[in-house]
Amino acid sequence: MRPEPKLGVLLVNLGTPDAPRAPEVRRYLREFLSDPRVLDIGAVGRWLLLNLVILPFRPARSAAAYRTVWGPGGSPLLYHSRRLTEALRAAMPDVDVELAMRYGEPSLQKGLDALRVRGCDRIVAVPLYPQYAASSTGSTVEALYRAAGEPWNTPFLTIVPPFYDHPAFIDALARVGAPVLEDFRPDHVLFSFHGLPERQVKKSDPSGAHCLARPDCCDAIGVNNRNCYRAHCVATAGALRDRLGLSRDATSIAFQSRLGRTPWIRPFTDVELVELARRGVRRLAVFCPAFVADCLETLEEIGIRAAESFKAAGGEDLRLVPCLNDHPVWVAALATIIRESAPQRRALPVLADSPAPPLSA
């Protein structure tokens, strides 16, 4: 009898600079923005934009922002991702668990190698992006297959699909957020997701005629928008709103972190929160359900800058709901999601009273 295949789990998040300094941020941004799935323009245009517009100026500004959230454990995204990895190891003692980043360290190759040297021939890879986007999930899947194909003995990969509406994920978001809402008692709840250029959303539509073609294009998910990031975000927000027992009027959806002058999906978070303050919202709670770990985009962009903008527009207080990080309910939910995708350890035996059908009639 051949040996039982050993199962490994590779958690993958986007990545982070090694330090909150301009050289390290520049190195990280160069790798990140050189990805043609992220800056999906021609190679010459991408090189010019990156080297003449972004890299000469943005690293210093981003480094300053990183310094406002950098802690004793380093980058918050890496810190929380490491803690999640350790917690998942304890929750799933029958498998090996490693962490990797799509960009930066620890690299995908190092994560796969760490599992391979421990005898893991079957690997379940978990892109930690709840909603699908070609620039995040798609890029990670492409890079995983490329890295897995480098050694002579390749592992057998299973990729966990987007879990934007998985009941365990939604329940974990609600159980982390409900105590915050009960304590803060907001006038309004904003679900803020990372933004995307409109062109990338349209490229996800195989028909070319559904996504962003009408105001209700994201209200239901069908064949044409099954891979639409915006539709996934709307589904997450709707499921979470219902799970928390909130009314539609008491919630809204917006998209943050836009970059450049090309059209990005709307509404914009920075615009929406100012409008909410001007409409009389005084206490605003913000969920960031596109992120499973607190990071620059949640702690600095929303927790600091958005809070300042909301108060300057007349709001009283803005409360950022923490991401799932390594909360026990998220660890349990993630274990459930992984086990649902994991391959069977052994095939079920054929019962003696169930003979195989003949090869031909």
Side-chain angles (χ1 to χ4, degrees):
M1 181 180 292
R2 64 180 181 179
E4 180 79 11
K6 195 173 182 182
L7 186 65
V9 170
L10 186 67
L11 303 180
V12 185
N13 216 322
L14 193 70
T16 181
D18 294 329
R21 298 185 295 258
E24 286 85 354
V25 173
R26 182 177 293 107
R27 183 166 60 246
Y28 170 74
L29 289 177
R30 182 180 296 280
E31 181 184 5
F32 174 44
L33 297 175
S34 293
D35 187 338
R37 285 180 175 268
V38 176
L39 273 181
D40 57 324
I41 59 178
V44 173
R46 184 168 53 251
W47 189 94
L48 292 172
L49 179 61
L50 186 59
N51 290 280
L52 301 183
V53 178
I54 298 176
L55 292 182
F57 308 104
R58 189 172 179 85
R61 295 198 301 268
S62 293
Y66 271 109
R67 284 194 290 273
T68 66
V69 299
W70 211 268
S75 160
L77 183 139
L78 183 57
Y79 170 78
H80 290 301
S81 298
R82 282 172 171 164
R83 286 179 60 89
L84 175 64
T85 303
E86 292 297 330
L88 194 64
R89 284 171 179 159
M92 303 182 72
D94 56 325
V95 301
D96 282 299
V97 184
E98 284 293 330
L99 173 67
M101 297 290 170
R102 171 62 184 91
Y103 313 101
E105 297 293 335
S107 67
L108 290 177
Q109 192 65 66
K110 288 180 180 177
L112 289 170
D113 287 347
L115 292 172
R116 184 170 58 85
V117 298
R118 294 204 296 275
C120 297
D121 292 326
R122 294 186 180 183
I123 296 175
V124 177
V126 190
L128 290 171
Y129 327 115
Q131 301 83 20
Y132 177 86
S135 56
S136 55
T137 314
S139 175
T140 296
V141 171
E142 179 184 2
L144 276 167
Y145 283 130
R146 188 166 57 243
E150 290 190 5
W152 183 257
N153 297 320
T154 61
F156 297 92
L157 292 182
T158 298
I159 311 292
V160 172
F163 46 88
Y164 61 95
D165 63 348
H166 194 289
F169 169 63
I170 299 299
D171 184 66
L173 286 172
R175 292 175 66 184
V176 169
V180 178
L181 300 186
E182 183 177 355
D183 173 68
F184 184 55
R185 299 194 178 280
D187 304 326
H188 194 88
V189 174
L190 177 65
F191 302 113
S192 180
F193 296 85
H194 199 286
L196 275 186
E198 288 185 356
R199 67 176 182 273
Q200 293 189 8
V201 171
K202 292 177 180 178
K203 285 164 69 173
S204 72
D205 175 8
S207 74
H210 180 89
C211 287
L212 303 182
R214 59 181 191 269
D216 64 347
C217 62
C218 294
D219 288 356
I221 294 180
V223 173
N224 293 326
N225 67 347
R226 67 188 186 277
N227 292 317
C228 173
Y229 172 78
R230 193 178 189 280
H232 286 190
C233 293
V234 170
T236 298
L240 180 54
R241 181 193 64 230
D242 293 345
R243 178 67 177 79
L244 290 167
L246 301 172
S247 69
R248 286 181 178 270
D249 291 341
T251 64
S252 54
I253 300 173
F255 299 90
Q256 63 186 83
S257 310
R258 69 185 186 277
L259 175 67
R261 299 179 180 179
T262 58
W264 282 54
I265 53 177
R266 296 173 181 266
F268 302 140
T269 295
D270 56 346
V271 174
E272 177 72 7
L273 59 88
V274 170
E275 289 299 316
L276 287 170
R278 290 174 177 171
R279 295 205 307 262
V281 172
R282 292 293 171 262
R283 298 171 68 79
L284 178 66
V286 182
F287 283 81
C288 294
F291 306 94
V292 298
D294 276 309
C295 54
L296 183 72
E297 287 81 0
T298 65
L299 299 174
E300 192 272 340
E301 186 176 355
I302 301 299
I304 298 175
R305 280 190 286 140
E308 291 172 351
S309 297
F310 179 68
K311 293 174 184 177
E316 176 186 316
D317 197 6
L318 182 151
R319 180 74 60 89
L320 172 65
V321 178
C323 287
L324 296 171
N325 296 323
D326 64 330
H327 195 288
V329 298
W330 171 228
V331 175
L334 186 56
T336 296
I337 292 169
I338 291 169
R339 291 197 186 281
E340 288 178 357
S341 294
Q344 294 289 331
R345 305 299 281 272
R346 285 195 184 280
L348 294 175
V350 177
L351 300 180
D353 59 350
S354 300
L359 295 177
S360 59

